[in-house]
Amino acid sequence: MLKRLGRAVTARPWSALLFVVIFLVNALVVGTGVTDRLHNGGTSDPGSESARAAVLLEQSFPASSPNLVLEVSAKAGGSVDAPEAARAGARLGERLAFEPDVVGVTSYWQTGVEGLRSADRGTALIVARIEGDENHAKDVFDRLAPRYRGSPAGLEQLDVRLGGTVAVREEMQSTIADDLVRAELIALPITLLILVLVFRGLIAALLPLAVGICAILGTNAALRVITGFTEVSVFAQNLTTALGLGLAIDYALLIVRRFREERERGLEVREAVATTLDTAGRAVLFSALTVAVSLSAMLVFPLYFLRSFAYAGISVVLIAAAAALVLLPALLTLLGGRIDALKIRLPGGAARSGREPGAGWHRTATLVMRRAPLFALGITALLLVAGLPFLRVQFAAADDRQLPTGSEARVVQQTIREGFTASATGVIDVVVHSGATGSTGAGSPDREELGRFAAKLSALPGVTEVSTPLGDYRSGAPSGESGPADSVRTADGLGHLSVVPAAGGGDVSQANQDLVGEIRRAGADFPALRPVVGGQAATLVDSKHAIAVRLLPAGALIVGATLLLVFLLTGSLLIPLQAVLLNALSLTAMFGVVVWVFQDGHLSGLLGFTPTGAVETTLPVLMFCVAFGLSMDYGVFLLSRVKEEYGRGHDPRKAVADGIRHTGGLITAAALILSVVLVAIGTSRITNTKMLGLGVALAVLVDATVVRCLLVPAVMALGGHATWWAPAPLKRFQERFGLREESPAPAGGAGGADRTDSGPGPDGRHDPDPDPGPGPVLAAKES
């Protein structure tokens, strides 16, 4: 099939290029403005109890879940209780209450609640809720911000800063968009420079970038279409850039290098392109399938944050592979020998020209296999030790501390954390139903039953106060003051209780998460009220549960698909198991470093982020799926070539050594370039994006060097011929349906890279390693 595709493209290369240009123009038009349609959220389970509570609160008690905060300070360090400041603050609250789409405005000057005033009396809060979904709330916020930020007209005696979740979301989206542009400006020139060094020519170096541009623009268009059907996280664009460039370069490196080999064997241009697609093209197709399968595991989870990366990742992988299999053959056909135009001569190039390509990698692999037990045990122990910090991982939800330290929304939230009482944040919400049928039946919750429930909650360890329609409960007894709460804590047959925890440590501290479980267990004793628990701590508890219960199905999908695909590639039962175990082992260093750096705070000053003592709940799942897929990408490159060499009748050790000789430099160059892109993404000012970029970059480098070129040959040497065993029926199945590279017959080129050894030496014996070569340091240039 791929050979037929190659012949069709080479027969009409200009038609193929025209098709690609039309695709790019349409993708550019469709993908315009995709960032404005993306969301900053998706880390909660929409089917959970806390999600149901959030819906009920928004419908019936909008004031209980404000998403907009105005931090109001009196100028010149004055008190917010001063007459002039108090009058201005009251007018500011009234002005906000009359804004369209703004409800539940609660002001310190309106209520006198001390929780809305800082301890030094210099700052007070006005909280409100902007109605509608995230996109509508963003539009309303963009309209309000210029009129309320700073000193609003007619209220020059006040200083106003805007915070709340809607402000954090707005700053997060704008910061990510700016960081993404900067990352591209950093990555593209460095990537082009490395490609010039790898290909030793400018024309060949531009080919991978062309494939990458196709992948990125095409995926932006795909995401724009997907946003019409479901929510997509704004963070998914970062993965689009990283994988778009990284995989495009991987695939282009493999195809262009194989095309050069076929030309060196004496094939004319069109036949070389067709043969390249039938060999390297199979590896590209197989690699795309394995990476897509790894990323598709995130579709198992109900959190749209994770699902978004599956949408973006699968799209970019398939588009990159399609571009590599259509655009590259067309360009190679038209360029032919001109692909080596504008060649770059490197110092010492003449001295290296007579050396066997990849001899340094061949020597390294041979050395490793001679001492296979030592390398296998030593590297395995090293990677396990590097992963030990992950055993103490703590999970939490992302908050405003993801933002740069000077951002307005973060400053507001930090002021609230440091200067206001715990009751201003961290409240656990409980919605109770009436005895009437239906969740919103008429009437109020049964007062006697509600009183007993509130008293039980107030008696729980760690609870300071429970505010209910009946009043405030402390130490198991009502305060006797119902106050105005009756009018705001009952609606549509529902009642709203606010449980104020005593523990510090933040809204989603472990103590607050434990308290959510206690409240839910207490609510089970009051079935008539049907209590529903929500709030930030409850959302985190439910998110962790949603991820935990789906880890096994997601893992089974990745492992099962990987075992099947690697078997179809190799025809072995042992190699698929080895691939899964070694891929997982290669990720241990990434997880250990993530905890050591981002949770514990080491290097936080150098990297420019604020450690929170925890890792965002969804990040390990995302990083595992992405890094596992990329590890399989490099594994396919190596195994496909080793399988080809083994199929020629070589013994297992020689097949591994020759496979690494052909692919070691390619894998190293590809990993280096992808790491540059990921590190550029890691320069983001958003902590989660920084963690994703730098963490996966580390995993890629460890896998491409330590695992792929040292641990894999050691393990395969230990297995010997048994590594390639499979029962006869499975062998026949693989031979019929397997995705494998065909071993091309030798052609007339004298110095082709497909040689399995260097030919006989002066003494008549074959020396598979006539010259140690430049070794791994220059591997990228050797490719």
Side-chain angles (χ1 to χ4, degrees), residues 68-70 72 89 92-93 96 105-109 124-128:
L68 176 64
V69 177
L70 273 60
V72 184
L92 180 64
L96 183 62
V105 176
T106 304
S107 164
Y108 163 68
W109 296 280
L125 303 179
I126 299 175
V127 298

Side-chain angles (χ1 to χ4, degrees), residues 422-477:
S423 61
T425 59
V427 171
I428 299 173
D429 298 299
V430 183
V431 180
V432 294
H433 296 72
S434 69
T437 59
S439 62
T440 57
S444 300
D446 182 85
R447 298 178 66 86
E448 183 178 352
E449 186 82 349
L450 179 59
R452 289 197 300 270
F453 180 48
K456 184 169 184 176
L457 295 184
S458 66
L460 292 175
V463 173
T464 299
E465 177 183 306
V466 179
S467 297
T468 76
L470 308 179
D472 297 338
Y473 283 69
R474 300 183 183 90
S475 301

